[in-house]
Amino acid sequence: RAKDSGRNTFRFYESGMDQAVATRNLLEIDLRNAIRSSGFTLHYQPIFNLAEGVVRGFEALLRWDHPVRGPISPGEFIPVAEETGLIAQLGAWALNQACREAAAWPGELRVAVNVSAVQFRKAGLEQAVMRALANSGLPARRLELEITESVLMQDSDSVIDCLHRLRAMGVRIALDDFGTGYSSLSYLCRFPFDKIKIDRSFIREIDEPVAAAVVRAVVGLGERLGTTITAEGVETEEQLARIRNKGCTEAQGFLLGRPQSAEATRTLVARQRAA
Ligand code: C2E
Ligand code: MG
Ligand code: MG
Ligand code: MG
């Protein structure tokens, strides 16, 4: 009996796995088509400077409206793009599009683009950045690249060298989702980041002593190192008051502004300009 149920269980998992693999393969085919037929868009979420109360720039976030399934989140398709190597093309597209759209924004508004670890490994990132800047006319100082610890976990000097060269071009480098990796602090010694983005899990719990202490410590680090500290995922007035009180430089989150289309973003920056 035990054997029977064991076999059934096995079959259950096997067919479950088949289905997962099939879904993933379909997604890969659709992803390939969407890249070819420009099926992606970027949405932009505002990032506020807290001291001045003004928008400093926007984070570009990939959006995919799948022809059959409807909107699919980057949390689902980015991993598939990474596994299949399609992230090189998709990432280059995002860089170009973000720089092109941001070049039309007034003043010194910045655009932040997320860069995956695979884009570093597959090389060509530096060239892709240079091309995107040249094609758009966006000054390098208005471009920020957001990388996660997984980029630095690759532990090759070539990654650090690449980051240094990008930074020497004037591009700003931000450490995204800070606090969620394994040995966050060691990475701060390896590269002089322009910005640290505190992961939203800490902001969500900021009314608890431990998370509050972490945020305060990171702000202290930022002050010593001359690094901008951004709080991610600010959803309530109370969280905003707390991160302000702890001295975060910048804030981003649904309370302050949701990711919006390029068109809505253009309207927003024009209205701000006029005010
Ligand atoms: P991320 O870079 O940490 O981006 C922030 C994510 O948090 C976005 O999710 C954003 O919509 C969401 N968010 C912003 N404010 C709030 C808030 O107040 N509450 C909550 N609950 N969420 C908030 P999204 O757009 O689904 O993107 C998820 C992740 O996908 C990004 O995390 C990033 O790692 C990745 N991603 C998005 N676009 C790109 C891209 O162009 N290239 C690469 N390599 N990765 C991307
Ligand atoms: Mg990001
Ligand atoms: Mg983040
Ligand atoms: Mg994230």
Side-chain angles (χ1 to χ4, degrees), residues 49-54 56:
N49 175 289
L50 287 170
E52 296 161 35
V54 297
R56 274 317 257 119

Side-chain angles (χ1 to χ4, degrees), residues 114 148 176-177 199-200 232:
N114 291 285
T148 56
D176 204 357
D177 303 343
D199 191 71
R200 69 166 185 267
E232 295 194 275

Side-chain angles (χ1 to χ4, degrees), residues 113 115 120 145-149 151-152 163 173-176 193:
V113 180
V115 177
F120 279 84
L145 300 180
E146 296 195 0
I147 68 168
T148 56
E149 287 168 17
V151 169
L152 298 174
L163 287 174
I173 310 291
L175 184 54
D176 204 357
F193 289 95

